[in-house]
Amino acid sequence: MESTEIIQELTPLGEHDLLYVADRHKVCCDFPLHRHNLFELNFVEHGAGCERFVGDSVETLGEYDLVLITAPNLEHAWTQGQCTSPDIHEITVQFYLDPTNGFLVTNPFRSIQQMFERAQRGLAFPMKAIMSVYPRLSKLASIQCGFQAAMEWMYILHELSKYDDARELSSSSFAQVRTTSESRRVARVKEYVSAHYMEEIRLEQLAAMVSMSPTAFSRFFKLRTGKSLSDYIVDVRLGAAARKLVDTDEPVSGICFDCGFNTLSNFNRLFRNRKGCSPTEFREKYAKTKVIV
């Protein structure tokens, strides 16, 4: 049985508008889990203790947070958690720039295009990046001239695109996105894992698929993805499990075996290590952020 308890947000951005900027101060973060078709950059100041949900990533915020989301319909929310601040400052910018068309495909904007691709899973920026754009971001809502606001916005995006140490948040299997800039060998292996994660997958099998020895393929895969093959497969399985935990009421034990894990204890251990909570706690956290619309 699937859940429909996620808000589909309607944004006020018109057909010919570039940006919608909301700059607000509030006493609590209480907007439930939602999704929309637009891109979004969300900044939070004085939000230590708040919880951020992006796909299957659930994290507790520090004093500052800045996240870019470019996947259509990737659910996200910022909730109160344990925050006690009486003045939470939030700036939300909703926009859409097609990374496959127009000026973004030209060389000067390539870093922004690459950032948008990574941000399909949600992209959390380091403190240095946040401080570098804070002055411009904080005055964006007050700029009256549309052209100047657009130029300021492009500068902010360009500045953020310099930070390779921004962290991808949701697993790709939960967010249901794939990148287009990968080598053909890596893409072929990822497609196979995505289709067969519920089955036993052997290194020798994947290496033969791309005409490489197991040792050479292991090195190649980690060099290209930053993860070992075994870690990648676990991440895909956990992302698929998290999606089932959110979207269905199937029992945890059934989800465990359906997603390729051999034992429930191993599934629970890996889930807690990667997600910071048990599968049952993860489902409960998500349930608290949903409303029926």
Side-chain angles (χ1 to χ4, degrees):
M1 175 178 168
E2 293 192 355
S3 167
T4 58
E5 301 176 341
I6 299 177
I7 290 178
Q8 182 70 37
E9 182 184 354
L10 298 177
T11 71
L13 203 62
E15 180 182 358
H16 300 293
D17 295 328
L18 175 65
L19 302 174
Y20 166 68
V21 184
D23 189 331
R24 49 193 175 257
H25 291 260
K26 51 192 186 180
V27 296
C28 67
C29 283
D30 56 2
F31 200 79
L33 202 67
H34 66 286
R35 55 164 69 111
H36 45 69
N37 291 324
L38 293 173
F39 295 179
E40 179 175 297
L41 183 73
N42 200 67
F43 166 79
V44 178
E45 181 181 22
H46 307 317
C50 289
E51 283 193 317
R52 180 200 339 106
F53 295 73
V54 177
D56 57 346
S57 167
V58 182
E59 296 183 350
T60 300
L61 303 191
E63 191 69 6
Y64 294 90
D65 188 57
L66 183 66
V67 167
L68 176 65
I69 300 171
T70 60
N73 297 323
L74 178 61
E75 51 265 67
H76 53 281
W78 278 255
T79 63
Q80 186 66 16
Q82 301 300 314
C83 182
T84 58
S85 171
D87 181 20
I88 301 171
H89 183 204
E90 184 177 61
I91 302 174
T92 301
V93 184
Q94 292 183 339
F95 66 103
Y96 182 70
L97 292 170
D98 187 349
T100 65
N101 195 13
F103 63 88
L104 282 181
V105 299
T106 61
N107 287 334
F109 299 94
R110 182 169 298 173
S111 64
I112 295 177
Q113 184 185 38
Q114 292 170 343
M115 177 178 69
F116 283 176
E117 184 168 346
R118 293 183 64 205
Q120 291 181 89
R121 294 166 53 183
L123 202 58
F125 292 94
M127 182 61 67
K128 187 176 180 180
I130 296 173
M131 291 298 102
S132 72
V133 300
Y134 176 83
R136 292 178 181 269
L137 191 60
S138 62
K139 71 177 184 180
L140 190 61
S142 63
I143 299 177
Q144 298 298 315
C145 172
F147 178 80
Q148 291 180 356
M151 294 301 99
E152 196 74 7
W153 179 236
M154 292 308 301
Y155 178 91
I156 290 171
L157 290 177
H158 180 258
E159 183 66 20
L160 291 175
S161 72
K162 298 177 183 178
Y163 291 88
D164 295 333
D165 54 343
R167 292 185 297 109
E168 296 168 13
L169 296 174
S170 178
S171 65
S172 57
S173 52
F174 186 97
Q176 299 176 341
V177 298
R178 56 168 296 183
T179 59
T180 59
S181 60
E182 296 170 334
S183 73
R184 291 182 181 179
R185 286 175 171 174
V186 169
R188 186 178 179 188
V189 167
K190 285 189 172 184
E191 286 174 4
Y192 183 88
V193 172
S194 179
H196 298 275
Y197 64 85
M198 67 292 297
E199 305 166 9
E200 181 182 8
I201 300 176
R202 299 182 63 83
L203 169 61
E204 294 78 8
Q205 173 189 12
L206 298 181
M209 185 186 303
V210 293
S211 302
M212 298 177 72
S213 71
T215 300
F217 174 68
S218 291
R219 292 173 180 166
F220 173 80
F221 189 87
K222 184 159 188 180
L223 179 65
R224 292 302 184 97
T225 67
K227 292 182 179 180
S228 68
L229 178 63
S230 59
D231 282 345
Y232 177 76
I233 293 172
V234 167
D235 284 348
V236 170
R237 287 171 171 163
L238 288 177
R243 174 56 68 185
K244 285 178 176 287
L245 288 167
V246 170
D247 288 347
T248 76
D249 57 4
E250 294 178 28
V252 172
S253 58
I255 290 173
C256 160
F257 297 113
D258 285 347
C259 291
F261 294 96
N262 293 325
T263 67
L264 183 59
S265 61
N266 187 46
F267 171 60
N268 285 330
R269 178 181 61 80
L270 288 169
F271 199 100
R272 182 176 290 278
N273 287 344
R274 303 290 177 95
K275 308 294 184 186
C277 59
S278 71
T280 300
E281 291 167 340
F282 179 85
R283 174 176 267 170
E284 291 172 351
K285 280 176 179 283
Y286 254 83
K288 290 178 181 177
T289 68
K290 294 182 179 182
V291 296
I292 298 176
V293 293

